[in-house]
Amino acid sequence: MTADSSSHNKPENILGFLASTLGRILISVFVPLVTFIVLWQGFMFLRDSQAPQVVIVLVAILWGVGGVAALFFVANWVTEQLPKKWTHVYNRLSS
């Protein structure tokens, strides 16, 4: 029984860590960093590519539109991770 209870506590500890302040900070740094790396790799491909012009144009359109969408969603997600107290102040100031 103790082995089962310890195995059940482990996922709760991981979830508890991710929900904690430190976990949120780490995730809030990691997600924008990954987004930046993906966008940078797209830029490097477009700058140094020897691909046909049609491929470069299609990748540039997808990279531009997808990059703006990714930046918007990441910034929105990071903002939503802020404490309720901060969003309450914003709502009070915008009224």
Side-chain angles (χ1 to χ4, degrees), residues 2-57:
T2 57
D4 290 336
S5 64
S6 66
S7 66
H8 290 299
N9 289 338
K10 195 169 192 173
E12 292 175 8
N13 290 338
I14 293 171
L15 292 176
F17 172 76
L18 292 176
S20 71
T21 304
L22 179 61
R24 286 184 180 192
I25 290 171
L26 291 176
I27 291 172
S28 294
V29 169
F30 179 73
V31 170
L33 184 64
V34 168
T35 304
F36 175 76
I37 290 170
V38 169
L39 290 175
W40 181 259
Q41 290 301 316
F43 171 74
M44 297 302 288
F45 171 78
L46 290 172
R47 187 183 71 172
D48 298 336
S49 179
Q50 299 298 322
Q53 194 73 22
V54 174
V55 172
I56 293 174
V57 167

Side-chain angles (χ1 to χ4, degrees), residues 68-88:
V68 169
L71 289 174
F72 171 78
F73 286 115
V74 167
N76 185 49
W77 179 82
V78 168
T79 304
E80 288 177 349
Q81 301 306 308
L82 293 173
K84 295 291 183 195
K85 182 172 78 172
W86 288 20
T87 58
H88 176 69

